[in-house]
Amino acid sequence: MSTKNTEVQGIKGHINNSLRARRLGIDTQYETIIFMRTDCPVCRSEGFTAHARVKVTNGRHSIIATLYQVSSELLGHNEAGLSESAWKRLDLLDGDIVTVSHPHPLSSLGKIRRKINAERLGAEDFQEIIDDVVAGRYSDIHLSSFVTACSSNTLALDEVIALTWAMTQAGERLKWKKHPIVDKHCVGGLPGNRTTPIVVSIVAACGLTMPKTSSRAITSPAGTADTMETMAPVDLDIPAMRRVVEKEGGCVVWGGAVRLSPADDTLIRVERALEIDSEGQLIASVLSKKIAAGSTHLVLDLPVGPTAKVKDAALAQRLSESLLLVARQFGIEARTITTDGNQPVGRGIGPALEARDVLAVLQNRPGAPGDLRHRATSLAGQLLELGGAANVGEGESLAIQVLDDERAWRKFQRICEAQGGMREPPNAPYRHEIAAHRRGTVTSIDNHRLARVAKLAGAPDDKSAGLELHVRLGDAIEAGQPLFTVHAESPGELAYSLEYAETAGGIIGLSEE
Amino acid sequence: MSTKNTEVQGIKGHINNSLRARRLGIDTQYETIIFMRTDCPVCRSEGFTAHARVKVTNGRHSIIATLYQVSSELLGHNEAGLSESAWKRLDLLDGDIVTVSHPHPLSSLGKIRRKINAERLGAEDFQEIIDDVVAGRYSDIHLSSFVTACSSNTLALDEVIALTWAMTQAGERLKWKKHPIVDKHCVGGLPGNRTTPIVVSIVAACGLTMPKTSSRAITSPAGTADTMETMAPVDLDIPAMRRVVEKEGGCVVWGGAVRLSPADDTLIRVERALEIDSEGQLIASVLSKKIAAGSTHLVLDLPVGPTAKVKDAALAQRLSESLLLVARQFGIEARTITTDGNQPVGRGIGPALEARDVLAVLQNRPGAPGDLRHRATSLAGQLLELGGAANVGEGESLAIQVLDDERAWRKFQRICEAQGGMREPPNAPYRHEIAAHRRGTVTSIDNHRLARVAKLAGAPDDKSAGLELHVRLGDAIEAGQPLFTVHAESPGELAYSLEYAETAGGIIGLSEE
C-alpha cells in the first residue's frame, strides 16, 4: 500500500504530538504513565479507551506508557505530564520535548495468552516476557495477568528453569575468584527472622566467603537490608562490596544497588498485592537472585506454620524437592531445612528493633532471644558443613563455639566498619502497650497481622518503628499483662497503627478459660 | 485485646488523615486513585508499597482507592488529589474534607485466589466478586487477575450461569408488559456490521416489540449507539425509552444510561486491553445484558473468520451450544446463526459512515451495500419466526418485503422522531485515499487493523471520522486504485491515523502476480 500523493508529508506536519515534558512527581512505582489533555489530538484519536498505551520518545530513549487523560487545567496546552517511572526511564530534563505515537503491539503479550491457554512456554518465550518486564514495557494489568496465568497453570519444571534463567539473564551477574561462595535464604513470611547478620558473621569468622546481598522490605515491616542499615551502611556499589568481602570474607549489603534479577523486584510486588505466590514463581524468584549473585553453596530455610508462607510439612517437602532440583540445574549445591514458622522470631519487629535482637545474640547478652540464636547457629552449622569448614555433624557445635567466644561478634564489628562504620540502632520516641483484656494461654500468633501493625507504625521507612512482642506461644497471661508494644516516630503513625491493631482482632489468640 | 489506657483517644486526635479534596481531572476510567504527598502520615505509614490501597471517606460515602504518592508541589500540605472515578463515587464538592484510613481486606479477593487454584466457585462467590467490581472496590490489577483466572481455568457451565446471574443482579432490570420481547446480538469483531437499526425497523414494522439497548464503542471505531446517534438522540432514560417503545414497538438507545449489567462494562475493558476473551466471560457478558433488558426471544449472530472473534466453525459450534444452554437456564428462547466474518460489512467504518450504509439500505438506494442488506433481512427473518410474526421458513421473505415496500424505512423515521428527532449524519472535512501500489487480487482484509485505522482517525468520538472501504475480497485491483479513504475531523488525527496505516502493513492483502 502507498499513500496516493505526496501531500501526506504536509499533513504529517500537522501532527501536534510534540509536547513539553512536565515532571508531575507522581510515583506509580513500576507503571509508566503519561498524562495528556483530553482535547489534544492523541487523546481524540485514542478516544476514551481504557488502558490505552502510547509510545513516548525524546530522541534518546523511547518508552511505552499508559495514557491518562486530564480534563482539568492541571496541564497547559502542549504539555504532557509524566510519572516518576516514565521520567526516569526517558532520562528527561524539565522542558524537554517528547513525541507521542502509536506503539506496535508487544509480541510477548501473545505468549502470556498462550500461558493462559495452558500451553507450555519455552526459554525464548520467558526471555521475551522478562525482557519486556525489565524494560518497563508492561502495564500493571499485564504484570497481573502474567503472574496470575503462571499461578493458574502450574509451571512445569522446565518452565521454572527457563523462567529462572530468563530472570538471571535480565540483570547483572557477580563473579568471584574464591570458591566456594556460600549463601542462605529464608522463604519469607516470618517476622523478626533476622538470622542473616549472625550467620554471615559466624561463617566468615570460620574462613568461608559469604558476600550477602539482601533485600529491603516490600510488604513486610523490615528486610534484612533495612535492619542491617540501622547498624552500618548497606548502600554499597559492586567495587565497594568486593573490597569488604576481600577484607572480611563477608558482607551484608542491599541488593538493589547491585541490580541482580531486577524482574523479580517488579513481579514480586504484584504477587504481594494479589497475595498469590505460586511455587514456580517463588523458585525462580529465590534462585535467580542467588545465581546472579554467584553463589555456589546455598542453605534454604523453610519456616512452616499456618500464617507462614509454607503452610504444612507436605508443602515444604514438595517445595524443597523442586528448589533442590532447579538449583542443581544451575550447578548450585543446596540444602533445605524446615523450621518452626508458628510465631515470630526474637522480640523485635521493625528494622531497629530487630537489630537489637541481632546485637543481643552476637554479644551473648543475658536475655538474648534464644530462638533467634538457635536458628542462626543451626543455619550457620549447615553452611559450615556445606562449605567444607566443618565435618558433617560438627557444623552447629562449631557455630555455637564461634558465637560463644565472641569471634562472630568481632567479625560483625569488622564487617560493619568495612561497610562504612558501625552505628547504634535508633530508639522510637512514641510507644504504646497493647494489653490482654483477660487471662488465658497464648494459643496462636498471627504473623501477617502483627507485621501489618509494625508496618503501619512506620516500619521500615521509619527505622525505629515497629513493635516488641512480649509473649510466646504457650505463655500463661494475666488480664492487663502487656502483649506487645507499638513503637513509632510520630503520633500520627502510632495512631494509624493502633487503629488497625484494635479493629483487626485475632492477632494474639488466647485459650478459652 | 484492649489498649492499656485511655490516652489512646488523645493519640488518635493526632491522626492528620483529614485532607482537603482536590479534583485533579485525571480520568483513569475505572480505578479510583488518591494522590497524597509523600511526606504525609499515611504515606509514611504505608511506605513505598506498590499498589497500596486505602479507605477514603467523606462522611456520606466511602471508597477504596489506590494510593499514588506525590513528591512534587503538585499538592499542597493537607490536600489530597482524586481521580475522576474517585471524585464521582464519593460525590465530592471542591474543598470537601476526606479522611484516609486502612481498609479491611476484601474477602472476595480470596475467591479469586481460589479460582486461580482451579477451584470451582459458587453463586455467592461470583456475586461477592461482581458486587465488589461494581462498587469500584477493585484495582486494575485485581480486575486483570480475575479476568485472567477465569480464562486460565475454564469456567464450568454452572459457573457461567452463576457469573451471568451475578452480573445481571448487580444492575438495573427492565420489565415489559408486552410478550414476546425480541432482541438480537452480534458476537463482535466485525467492523461495519451495523444491522441493528435495520432489524429493529423491520421487526417493529411487523408488530413485534424490540426495545433495543446498544453499547457505545469500547475499543472499536463505532458501537451501534454511536452510529444511531448520528441519526437520532440515543441518550434516553428508562421512562423516555418506554414511551418510544410503547408508541413504535421498537427503539435503538444507548444502554449506558440504563445501567444494565454494569460489571460487564468494566470487565470487558480489561479483557480488551489484555486481548483475552474466554468463552465463559463472553457468554456471561452477552446474556447478562439481555436478561437485564427483559428479552424473551433472542437471535445471536456469530461472524466466523480469521480476524473475527470466532475463528472457525468448530469454535462457533461449541460457543453456540453453550450460549443456547445458558440462555435456556434463564428462560430465553434463543437461536444462533453463523455468518461470514472474513471482511467488514458494508462500506463505512465509523459512526456517520456506517449510518450512511444503514440509510442506503433502508431507503433502497441504488448501490446500497448488499451484504449489509442480506445480513439484516436474514437476522430479521429469524426474529420474525422466533417471535411468531412469520411462519417457519417465511421470515426472511417477509423481512425483504417490508424493506422493499419501505415500511421499514417509514418505521425507522418514526422511531427517530420518537427518540427526539431525526438528523443527518455529518461529513468529515479531511480525507485521504490509500491506494494499491501494485496490481493483484484482494485475498485478505484485516478487520482489526482496519478498525484501528478508523479509530485513530478519531472514531467514534469524532462522529464523521473513520474510513470508507472501496474493495471486497476477490476484487481485481490495478496499481494506483484506491483501497480505502480515511475520513477525519482534523489534520492531526488524519496524520496520526495515516502514520499507522502506512507502517502497520498487511491491512489489505493482495495475491502475488
Short mmCIF file of all heavy atoms in Angstrom, two decimals, chain A residues 44-50, chain B residues 29 188-192 194 214-229 234 253-256 264-265 268-269 272 349-351 354 451-452 454-456 458-463 465:
data_model
loop_
_atom_site.label_atom_id
_atom_site.label_comp_id
_atom_site.label_asym_id
_atom_site.label_seq_id
_atom_site.Cartn_x
_atom_site.Cartn_y
_atom_site.Cartn_z
N ARG A 44 -7.84 12.57 21.38
CA ARG A 44 -9.01 12.48 20.50
C ARG A 44 -8.91 11.24 19.62
O ARG A 44 -9.91 10.56 19.39
CB ARG A 44 -9.15 13.74 19.65
CG ARG A 44 -9.49 14.97 20.49
CD ARG A 44 -9.70 16.20 19.61
NE ARG A 44 -10.81 16.03 18.69
CZ ARG A 44 -12.07 16.31 18.99
NH1 ARG A 44 -12.38 16.78 20.18
NH2 ARG A 44 -13.02 16.13 18.10
N SER A 45 -7.71 10.92 19.15
CA SER A 45 -7.53 9.71 18.34
C SER A 45 -7.75 8.45 19.15
O SER A 45 -8.43 7.52 18.72
CB SER A 45 -6.11 9.66 17.76
OG SER A 45 -6.00 10.49 16.63
N GLU A 46 -7.16 8.40 20.34
CA GLU A 46 -7.28 7.20 21.15
C GLU A 46 -8.69 7.06 21.71
O GLU A 46 -9.16 5.97 21.99
CB GLU A 46 -6.26 7.21 22.30
CG GLU A 46 -4.80 7.12 21.86
CD GLU A 46 -4.43 5.74 21.32
OE1 GLU A 46 -5.17 4.76 21.57
OE2 GLU A 46 -3.39 5.64 20.63
N GLY A 47 -9.38 8.19 21.88
CA GLY A 47 -10.70 8.16 22.47
C GLY A 47 -10.60 7.78 23.93
O GLY A 47 -9.50 7.76 24.49
N PHE A 48 -11.74 7.46 24.54
CA PHE A 48 -11.69 7.12 25.96
C PHE A 48 -11.44 5.63 26.16
O PHE A 48 -12.12 4.97 26.93
CB PHE A 48 -12.97 7.56 26.67
CG PHE A 48 -12.87 8.97 27.15
CD1 PHE A 48 -13.57 9.97 26.53
CD2 PHE A 48 -12.01 9.29 28.19
CE1 PHE A 48 -13.46 11.28 26.96
CE2 PHE A 48 -11.90 10.60 28.63
CZ PHE A 48 -12.62 11.59 28.01
N THR A 49 -10.48 5.11 25.41
CA THR A 49 -10.12 3.72 25.58
C THR A 49 -9.50 3.54 26.97
O THR A 49 -8.58 4.26 27.32
CB THR A 49 -9.07 3.32 24.52
OG1 THR A 49 -9.57 3.70 23.26
CG2 THR A 49 -8.79 1.84 24.55
N ALA A 50 -9.99 2.58 27.72
CA ALA A 50 -9.35 2.29 28.99
C ALA A 50 -8.02 1.61 28.71
O ALA A 50 -7.90 0.85 27.75
CB ALA A 50 -10.25 1.38 29.82
N GLN B 29 -10.58 6.05 34.08
CA GLN B 29 -11.71 5.19 33.73
C GLN B 29 -12.27 4.50 34.96
O GLN B 29 -13.08 5.08 35.63
CB GLN B 29 -11.31 4.16 32.66
CG GLN B 29 -10.77 4.83 31.42
CD GLN B 29 -11.82 4.99 30.35
OE1 GLN B 29 -12.92 4.52 30.48
NE2 GLN B 29 -11.48 5.72 29.30
N GLY B 188 -19.31 -9.74 18.45
CA GLY B 188 -18.43 -8.71 17.87
C GLY B 188 -17.31 -9.11 16.92
O GLY B 188 -17.20 -10.21 16.45
N GLY B 189 -16.51 -8.13 16.64
CA GLY B 189 -15.30 -8.34 15.87
C GLY B 189 -15.41 -8.03 14.40
O GLY B 189 -14.44 -8.25 13.68
N LEU B 190 -16.56 -7.56 13.94
CA LEU B 190 -16.69 -7.31 12.50
C LEU B 190 -17.05 -5.85 12.24
O LEU B 190 -18.18 -5.43 12.47
CB LEU B 190 -17.77 -8.24 11.95
CG LEU B 190 -17.64 -8.64 10.48
CD1 LEU B 190 -16.25 -9.17 10.17
CD2 LEU B 190 -18.68 -9.68 10.15
N PRO B 191 -16.11 -5.06 11.73
CA PRO B 191 -16.38 -3.63 11.53
C PRO B 191 -17.51 -3.43 10.52
O PRO B 191 -17.62 -4.17 9.55
CB PRO B 191 -15.06 -3.09 10.96
CG PRO B 191 -14.02 -4.12 11.27
CD PRO B 191 -14.74 -5.43 11.34
N GLY B 192 -18.32 -2.44 10.78
CA GLY B 192 -19.37 -2.04 9.84
C GLY B 192 -20.61 -2.91 9.89
O GLY B 192 -21.56 -2.67 9.15
N ARG B 194 -23.49 -3.18 10.98
CA ARG B 194 -24.47 -2.33 11.69
C ARG B 194 -25.89 -2.69 11.28
O ARG B 194 -26.63 -1.87 10.76
CB ARG B 194 -24.13 -0.86 11.39
CG ARG B 194 -24.55 0.09 12.45
CD ARG B 194 -23.99 -0.26 13.81
NE ARG B 194 -22.53 -0.22 13.84
CZ ARG B 194 -21.79 -0.92 14.69
NH1 ARG B 194 -22.37 -1.73 15.56
NH2 ARG B 194 -20.48 -0.86 14.68
N SER B 214 -28.24 -0.50 23.05
CA SER B 214 -26.97 -0.81 22.40
C SER B 214 -25.83 -0.14 23.12
O SER B 214 -26.02 0.81 23.88
CB SER B 214 -27.00 -0.34 20.94
OG SER B 214 -27.94 -1.10 20.22
N SER B 215 -24.62 -0.65 22.86
CA SER B 215 -23.44 -0.09 23.53
C SER B 215 -22.75 0.92 22.63
O SER B 215 -22.93 0.94 21.42
CB SER B 215 -22.47 -1.21 23.88
OG SER B 215 -22.14 -1.92 22.71
N ARG B 216 -21.96 1.76 23.27
CA ARG B 216 -21.02 2.58 22.53
C ARG B 216 -19.75 1.75 22.33
O ARG B 216 -19.57 0.73 22.98
CB ARG B 216 -20.68 3.85 23.32
CG ARG B 216 -21.86 4.79 23.47
CD ARG B 216 -21.39 6.13 24.04
NE ARG B 216 -22.52 6.99 24.36
CZ ARG B 216 -23.14 7.75 23.48
NH1 ARG B 216 -22.75 7.78 22.22
NH2 ARG B 216 -24.16 8.51 23.84
N ALA B 217 -18.89 2.21 21.43
CA ALA B 217 -17.64 1.50 21.18
C ALA B 217 -16.78 1.45 22.44
O ALA B 217 -16.79 2.39 23.23
CB ALA B 217 -16.88 2.21 20.07
N ILE B 218 -16.08 0.35 22.63
CA ILE B 218 -15.09 0.29 23.70
C ILE B 218 -13.71 0.40 23.07
O ILE B 218 -13.02 1.38 23.27
CB ILE B 218 -15.25 -1.00 24.52
CG1 ILE B 218 -16.62 -1.01 25.18
CG2 ILE B 218 -14.15 -1.09 25.57
CD1 ILE B 218 -16.99 -2.32 25.80
N THR B 219 -13.33 -0.58 22.28
CA THR B 219 -12.06 -0.43 21.55
C THR B 219 -12.29 -0.33 20.05
O THR B 219 -11.36 -0.13 19.31
CB THR B 219 -11.13 -1.62 21.83
OG1 THR B 219 -11.84 -2.83 21.53
CG2 THR B 219 -10.68 -1.65 23.28
N SER B 220 -13.54 -0.47 19.61
CA SER B 220 -13.82 -0.44 18.17
C SER B 220 -14.11 0.99 17.73
O SER B 220 -14.31 1.87 18.56
CB SER B 220 -15.02 -1.34 17.87
OG SER B 220 -16.21 -0.72 18.29
N PRO B 221 -14.14 1.23 16.40
CA PRO B 221 -14.39 2.60 15.94
C PRO B 221 -15.85 3.04 16.03
O PRO B 221 -16.13 4.22 15.89
CB PRO B 221 -13.92 2.57 14.48
CG PRO B 221 -13.86 1.14 14.09
CD PRO B 221 -13.71 0.32 15.33
N ALA B 222 -16.77 2.11 16.27
CA ALA B 222 -18.17 2.52 16.44
C ALA B 222 -18.96 1.41 17.11
O ALA B 222 -18.79 0.24 16.78
CB ALA B 222 -18.80 2.86 15.09
N GLY B 223 -19.80 1.79 18.06
CA GLY B 223 -20.82 0.89 18.58
C GLY B 223 -22.13 1.27 17.92
O GLY B 223 -22.24 2.35 17.30
N THR B 224 -23.13 0.41 18.05
CA THR B 224 -24.43 0.73 17.45
C THR B 224 -24.97 2.05 17.98
O THR B 224 -25.54 2.85 17.23
CB THR B 224 -25.42 -0.42 17.70
OG1 THR B 224 -24.97 -1.55 16.96
CG2 THR B 224 -26.82 -0.06 17.24
N ALA B 225 -24.76 2.32 19.29
CA ALA B 225 -25.26 3.57 19.87
C ALA B 225 -24.57 4.78 19.23
O ALA B 225 -25.20 5.81 19.00
CB ALA B 225 -25.06 3.57 21.38
N ASP B 226 -23.26 4.64 18.94
CA ASP B 226 -22.53 5.74 18.30
C ASP B 226 -23.09 6.03 16.90
O ASP B 226 -23.26 7.17 16.50
CB ASP B 226 -21.04 5.40 18.18
CG ASP B 226 -20.39 5.14 19.52
OD1 ASP B 226 -20.52 5.99 20.42
OD2 ASP B 226 -19.75 4.07 19.68
N THR B 227 -23.34 4.96 16.16
CA THR B 227 -23.87 5.10 14.80
C THR B 227 -25.28 5.69 14.83
O THR B 227 -25.59 6.65 14.10
CB THR B 227 -23.87 3.74 14.09
OG1 THR B 227 -22.52 3.28 13.99
CG2 THR B 227 -24.48 3.83 12.70
N MET B 228 -26.13 5.13 15.66
CA MET B 228 -27.52 5.59 15.76
C MET B 228 -27.57 7.07 16.14
O MET B 228 -28.43 7.82 15.67
CB MET B 228 -28.27 4.74 16.78
CG MET B 228 -29.75 5.01 16.88
SD MET B 228 -30.65 4.52 15.36
CE MET B 228 -32.29 5.16 15.74
N GLU B 229 -26.61 7.48 16.99
CA GLU B 229 -26.61 8.86 17.48
C GLU B 229 -26.40 9.88 16.37
O GLU B 229 -26.74 11.05 16.53
CB GLU B 229 -25.50 9.02 18.54
CG GLU B 229 -25.68 10.24 19.42
CD GLU B 229 -24.70 10.24 20.59
OE1 GLU B 229 -23.59 9.70 20.42
OE2 GLU B 229 -25.07 10.77 21.65
N VAL B 234 -29.85 9.20 21.36
CA VAL B 234 -29.89 7.83 21.91
C VAL B 234 -29.78 7.81 23.43
O VAL B 234 -29.88 6.77 24.06
CB VAL B 234 -28.73 6.96 21.35
CG1 VAL B 234 -28.90 6.73 19.85
CG2 VAL B 234 -27.36 7.56 21.67
N VAL B 253 -31.50 2.69 21.60
CA VAL B 253 -30.96 3.69 22.52
C VAL B 253 -29.66 3.18 23.15
O VAL B 253 -29.33 2.00 23.05
CB VAL B 253 -31.99 4.04 23.64
CG1 VAL B 253 -33.29 4.52 23.04
CG2 VAL B 253 -32.22 2.85 24.56
N TRP B 254 -28.97 4.10 23.80
CA TRP B 254 -27.71 3.74 24.45
C TRP B 254 -28.01 3.04 25.77
O TRP B 254 -28.79 3.52 26.59
CB TRP B 254 -26.88 5.01 24.68
CG TRP B 254 -25.61 4.77 25.43
CD1 TRP B 254 -24.69 3.78 25.20
CD2 TRP B 254 -25.10 5.53 26.54
NE1 TRP B 254 -23.65 3.88 26.07
CE2 TRP B 254 -23.87 4.94 26.91
CE3 TRP B 254 -25.56 6.63 27.24
CZ2 TRP B 254 -23.10 5.43 27.97
CZ3 TRP B 254 -24.79 7.12 28.29
CH2 TRP B 254 -23.57 6.52 28.64
N GLY B 255 -27.40 1.86 25.98
CA GLY B 255 -27.65 1.09 27.20
C GLY B 255 -26.98 1.66 28.43
O GLY B 255 -27.33 1.32 29.56
N GLY B 256 -25.99 2.52 28.22
CA GLY B 256 -25.19 3.03 29.35
C GLY B 256 -26.02 3.81 30.35
O GLY B 256 -25.82 3.70 31.56
N ASP B 264 -20.24 -5.78 33.43
CA ASP B 264 -19.79 -6.13 32.09
C ASP B 264 -18.96 -5.02 31.49
O ASP B 264 -17.91 -5.26 30.89
CB ASP B 264 -21.01 -6.44 31.21
CG ASP B 264 -20.60 -6.83 29.81
OD1 ASP B 264 -19.69 -7.66 29.68
OD2 ASP B 264 -21.18 -6.31 28.85
N ASP B 265 -19.42 -3.77 31.63
CA ASP B 265 -18.71 -2.64 31.05
C ASP B 265 -17.29 -2.55 31.58
O ASP B 265 -16.35 -2.21 30.86
CB ASP B 265 -19.45 -1.33 31.35
CG ASP B 265 -20.89 -1.36 30.81
OD1 ASP B 265 -21.18 -2.22 29.96
OD2 ASP B 265 -21.70 -0.55 31.27
N ILE B 268 -15.13 -5.94 30.50
CA ILE B 268 -14.86 -6.03 29.07
C ILE B 268 -13.69 -5.13 28.67
O ILE B 268 -12.90 -5.45 27.80
CB ILE B 268 -16.15 -5.74 28.26
CG1 ILE B 268 -16.17 -6.60 27.00
CG2 ILE B 268 -16.31 -4.27 27.95
CD1 ILE B 268 -17.55 -6.66 26.36
N ARG B 269 -13.54 -4.00 29.37
CA ARG B 269 -12.43 -3.11 29.06
C ARG B 269 -11.09 -3.76 29.37
O ARG B 269 -10.11 -3.61 28.64
CB ARG B 269 -12.53 -1.81 29.86
CG ARG B 269 -13.57 -0.88 29.30
CD ARG B 269 -13.86 0.29 30.24
NE ARG B 269 -15.10 0.94 29.85
CZ ARG B 269 -15.19 1.88 28.91
NH1 ARG B 269 -14.11 2.28 28.29
NH2 ARG B 269 -16.35 2.40 28.60
N ARG B 272 -10.43 -6.51 26.77
CA ARG B 272 -9.96 -5.94 25.51
C ARG B 272 -8.49 -5.54 25.61
O ARG B 272 -7.71 -5.78 24.71
CB ARG B 272 -10.78 -4.71 25.11
CG ARG B 272 -12.24 -4.99 24.89
CD ARG B 272 -12.53 -5.55 23.51
NE ARG B 272 -13.89 -6.06 23.46
CZ ARG B 272 -14.95 -5.34 23.05
NH1 ARG B 272 -14.79 -4.10 22.64
NH2 ARG B 272 -16.16 -5.87 23.04
N ILE B 349 -16.80 2.52 7.94
CA ILE B 349 -16.38 2.13 9.29
C ILE B 349 -16.23 3.43 10.08
O ILE B 349 -15.41 4.27 9.71
CB ILE B 349 -15.07 1.32 9.27
CG1 ILE B 349 -15.23 0.06 8.40
CG2 ILE B 349 -14.64 0.96 10.68
CD1 ILE B 349 -13.96 -0.75 8.28
N GLY B 350 -17.01 3.59 11.12
CA GLY B 350 -17.08 4.86 11.85
C GLY B 350 -18.55 5.26 11.93
O GLY B 350 -19.34 4.89 11.04
N PRO B 351 -18.96 6.00 12.96
CA PRO B 351 -20.39 6.24 13.21
C PRO B 351 -21.17 6.78 12.01
O PRO B 351 -22.13 6.15 11.56
CB PRO B 351 -20.37 7.24 14.37
CG PRO B 351 -19.10 6.94 15.10
CD PRO B 351 -18.12 6.56 14.04
N GLU B 354 -21.03 4.51 8.80
CA GLU B 354 -21.87 3.33 8.91
C GLU B 354 -23.34 3.71 8.82
O GLU B 354 -24.16 2.97 8.26
CB GLU B 354 -21.58 2.59 10.23
CG GLU B 354 -20.17 1.99 10.24
CD GLU B 354 -19.79 1.31 11.54
OE1 GLU B 354 -20.69 0.89 12.28
OE2 GLU B 354 -18.57 1.21 11.79
N ALA B 451 -10.03 -1.51 11.57
CA ALA B 451 -10.76 -0.85 12.65
C ALA B 451 -9.85 0.14 13.37
O ALA B 451 -10.25 1.24 13.74
CB ALA B 451 -11.29 -1.89 13.64
N ARG B 452 -8.59 -0.24 13.54
CA ARG B 452 -7.62 0.61 14.24
C ARG B 452 -7.38 1.91 13.45
O ARG B 452 -7.27 2.99 14.03
CB ARG B 452 -6.32 -0.19 14.42
CG ARG B 452 -5.28 0.45 15.28
CD ARG B 452 -5.54 0.22 16.78
NE ARG B 452 -4.75 1.17 17.55
CZ ARG B 452 -5.16 1.81 18.63
NH1 ARG B 452 -6.34 1.58 19.13
NH2 ARG B 452 -4.39 2.68 19.24
N ALA B 454 -9.49 3.39 11.47
CA ALA B 454 -10.68 4.22 11.63
C ALA B 454 -10.69 4.88 13.01
O ALA B 454 -11.05 6.04 13.17
CB ALA B 454 -11.94 3.37 11.44
N LYS B 455 -10.27 4.10 14.00
CA LYS B 455 -10.28 4.60 15.37
C LYS B 455 -9.26 5.73 15.55
O LYS B 455 -9.55 6.76 16.17
CB LYS B 455 -9.95 3.44 16.30
CG LYS B 455 -10.28 3.74 17.72
CD LYS B 455 -10.18 2.50 18.57
CE LYS B 455 -9.93 2.95 19.98
NZ LYS B 455 -10.77 4.09 20.37
N LEU B 456 -8.07 5.51 15.02
CA LEU B 456 -7.03 6.53 15.17
C LEU B 456 -7.38 7.80 14.40
O LEU B 456 -6.90 8.89 14.71
CB LEU B 456 -5.67 5.99 14.74
CG LEU B 456 -5.11 4.88 15.65
CD1 LEU B 456 -3.80 4.35 15.10
CD2 LEU B 456 -4.92 5.39 17.08
N GLY B 458 -10.13 9.12 14.65
CA GLY B 458 -10.98 9.89 15.54
C GLY B 458 -12.32 9.23 15.89
O GLY B 458 -13.03 9.70 16.77
N ALA B 459 -12.65 8.14 15.20
CA ALA B 459 -13.90 7.44 15.50
C ALA B 459 -13.75 6.72 16.84
O ALA B 459 -12.66 6.22 17.14
CB ALA B 459 -14.21 6.43 14.39
N PRO B 460 -14.77 6.64 17.66
CA PRO B 460 -16.14 7.10 17.45
C PRO B 460 -16.40 8.50 18.04
O PRO B 460 -17.50 9.02 17.84
CB PRO B 460 -16.95 6.07 18.23
CG PRO B 460 -16.06 5.74 19.39
CD PRO B 460 -14.65 5.85 18.87
N ASP B 461 -15.43 9.10 18.77
CA ASP B 461 -15.71 10.40 19.39
C ASP B 461 -15.98 11.47 18.33
O ASP B 461 -16.85 12.32 18.51
CB ASP B 461 -14.55 10.82 20.31
CG ASP B 461 -14.46 9.91 21.54
OD1 ASP B 461 -15.40 9.14 21.76
OD2 ASP B 461 -13.46 9.98 22.26
N ASP B 462 -15.19 11.41 17.25
CA ASP B 462 -15.49 12.28 16.11
C ASP B 462 -16.46 11.49 15.23
O ASP B 462 -16.08 10.50 14.60
CB ASP B 462 -14.21 12.58 15.31
CG ASP B 462 -13.21 13.40 16.13
OD1 ASP B 462 -13.59 13.86 17.22
OD2 ASP B 462 -12.08 13.55 15.66
N LYS B 463 -17.68 11.94 15.19
CA LYS B 463 -18.73 11.12 14.55
C LYS B 463 -18.49 10.88 13.07
O LYS B 463 -18.84 9.84 12.53
CB LYS B 463 -20.10 11.82 14.72
CG LYS B 463 -20.57 11.91 16.15
CD LYS B 463 -20.95 10.55 16.68
CE LYS B 463 -21.33 10.62 18.16
NZ LYS B 463 -21.10 9.33 18.81
N ALA B 465 -15.60 10.73 11.55
CA ALA B 465 -14.31 10.11 11.26
C ALA B 465 -14.46 8.61 11.01
O ALA B 465 -15.43 7.99 11.43
CB ALA B 465 -13.35 10.35 12.42
#
